[in-house]
Amino acid sequence: MLMDKNLEDEIIAKLDILTKQGQRQQVIKEFAKILLLDLTASFRAQLARLANRNHDYVLALRILHPIIREDREKISSATPEALNVYANSLLCI
């Protein structure tokens, strides 16, 4: 079952605050919990952008992999935002 949009927004806001506070390790721990859930493509793109902001480019690629490489998992077609974050992650590593 997919998460509620309000819950997604709350999670992104919480992770954004932790990122701004420089609590990178806490953000990565939260990602470990979140990635066990069934995520929408748009939520994955937002999470990947936060992973990039925390300098975890490999995690960003892993988050977006099911969208970009949908031959393995049928989620949806990649949005321009997802492609942008994926490309940026590749450039950074």
Side-chain angles (χ1 to χ4, degrees), residues 14-87:
K14 177 183 176 183
L15 293 175
D16 185 52
I17 290 168
L18 290 171
T19 298
K20 288 177 181 176
Q21 293 174 347
Q23 296 184 27
R24 181 180 182 273
Q25 293 301 321
Q26 184 62 36
V27 173
I28 301 306
K29 286 179 186 178
E30 293 294 324
F31 273 124
K33 297 175 201 170
I34 295 167
L35 294 176
L36 297 174
L37 305 172
D38 190 18
L39 307 175
T40 63
S42 63
F43 189 47
R44 283 181 178 274
Q46 292 175 29
L47 289 173
R49 186 167 301 284
L50 279 167
N52 270 357
R53 287 179 52 201
N54 284 282
H55 306 286
D56 198 337
Y57 308 111
V58 174
L59 178 60
L61 291 173
R62 286 184 183 148
I63 292 169
L64 291 173
H65 187 266
I67 299 169
I68 305 299
R69 308 289 286 179
E70 60 181 303
D71 56 325
R72 300 186 95 192
E73 197 175 320
K74 300 290 183 198
I75 292 179
S76 69
S77 61
T79 63
E81 179 187 12
L83 291 171
N84 182 10
V85 175
Y86 194 85

